[in-house]
Amino acid sequence: MDISADIRCPQAGQGYAGGLVPGQADARRAAAMEPGAAARFLAGRAALRLFAGSVLGIPAAQLQAAYSCPQCGSGPDLSHGRPGFTHHGGPVPLLLSMARAGNWVLLAGLTKPVAGERLGVDVENPELLGFEGFEDVALAESEKPALAGLQGAALLRERARLWTRKEAWLKMTGDGLRTDPRDVPVLDRPELTDLPSAATGLPASLVAAVALGKPG
């Protein structure tokens, strides 16, 4: 399918949107943050819930968050891990992934996934990847030649392209950064797609990628 058709990028800086009330787990997590970060967090969660409702044709207020984590399990007290929702007590047929960059949220959804299918998405601001030693902590040896000869903005953008592909892949598999990103080469994986701003509505200054597949 054309996954870009189900990807949207609302800005997330204006508080909890759509008249929705955050769940207790989200509210507790937000209470531990400074106000600006809490507002962005809750707005992102509201955007995800509204997005899921619009894709499914279900009022967002009827959806209950159901996150799952390979280490922590799942349940109403969980506010991290793979996003999902229930409706009238049953899981909805929708894969979801989300990522943030500043006040932007990237949302991806896949309806009626086949058994074992997983989804991951990421967005990054290349300007944040200008630190010395990036290649040594983030890239596999096979990826380093992709940066050879690049300087300035071109170098940062290629770093961001590789990093978003890694993050999207690790979200799809559920491993997250428990896996060393140097052990995840991403240049030639067919499950990964770079997302241009025309497909997402993101500012052209940001870089995004999506992963869709069946982790082994």
Side-chain angles (χ1 to χ4, degrees):
M1 66 172 290
D2 181 3
I3 191 97
S4 66
D6 284 325
I7 294 175
R8 307 178 190 179
C9 300
Q11 281 187 290
Q14 304 301 319
Y16 212 69
L20 299 175
V21 177
Q24 291 184 359
D26 283 350
R28 286 195 299 268
R29 184 170 171 182
M33 302 176 182
E34 59 89 14
R40 289 188 293 272
F41 169 76
L42 291 175
R45 290 300 172 90
L48 180 66
R49 193 167 158 196
L50 290 165
F51 172 66
S54 70
V55 171
L56 295 167
I58 295 172
Q62 294 181 10
L63 295 174
Q64 290 78 45
Y67 281 79
S68 59
C69 171
Q71 291 186 316
C72 305
S74 61
D77 293 331
L78 201 66
S79 65
H80 69 275
R82 192 185 305 279
F85 292 95
T86 61
H87 184 240
H88 295 320
V92 299
L94 179 65
L95 290 182
L96 291 165
S97 186
M98 70 180 296
R100 298 181 180 87
N103 282 346
W104 288 92
V105 177
L106 176 62
L107 306 172
L110 177 67
T111 56
K112 300 179 181 179
V114 300
E117 203 164 30
R118 294 290 183 266
L119 177 68
V121 73
D122 191 53
V123 57
E124 298 291 343
N125 180 351
E127 294 182 359
L128 300 180
L129 300 181
F131 58 90
E132 186 176 351
F134 171 86
E135 289 83 355
D136 293 331
V137 299
L139 300 186
E141 288 299 320
S142 62
E143 295 169 324
K144 292 181 181 180
L147 304 183
L150 298 179
Q151 296 180 348
L155 173 63
L156 297 186
R157 195 161 187 88
E158 184 63 10
R159 284 181 173 182
R161 187 178 80 88
L162 292 170
W163 186 250
T164 57
R165 290 169 72 89
K166 288 176 184 284
E167 286 268 37
W169 179 268
L170 292 171
K171 287 181 181 181
M172 182 194 75
T173 63
D175 294 331
L177 290 177
R178 292 183 298 274
T179 296
D180 189 332
R182 294 173 294 184
D183 295 333
V184 186
V186 293
L187 282 173
D188 300 313
R189 293 185 186 268
E191 301 92 343
L192 282 163
T193 302
D194 298 327
L195 294 173
S197 57
T200 62
L202 287 167
S205 59
L206 301 180
V207 175
V210 63
L212 176 64
K214 293 182 179 181

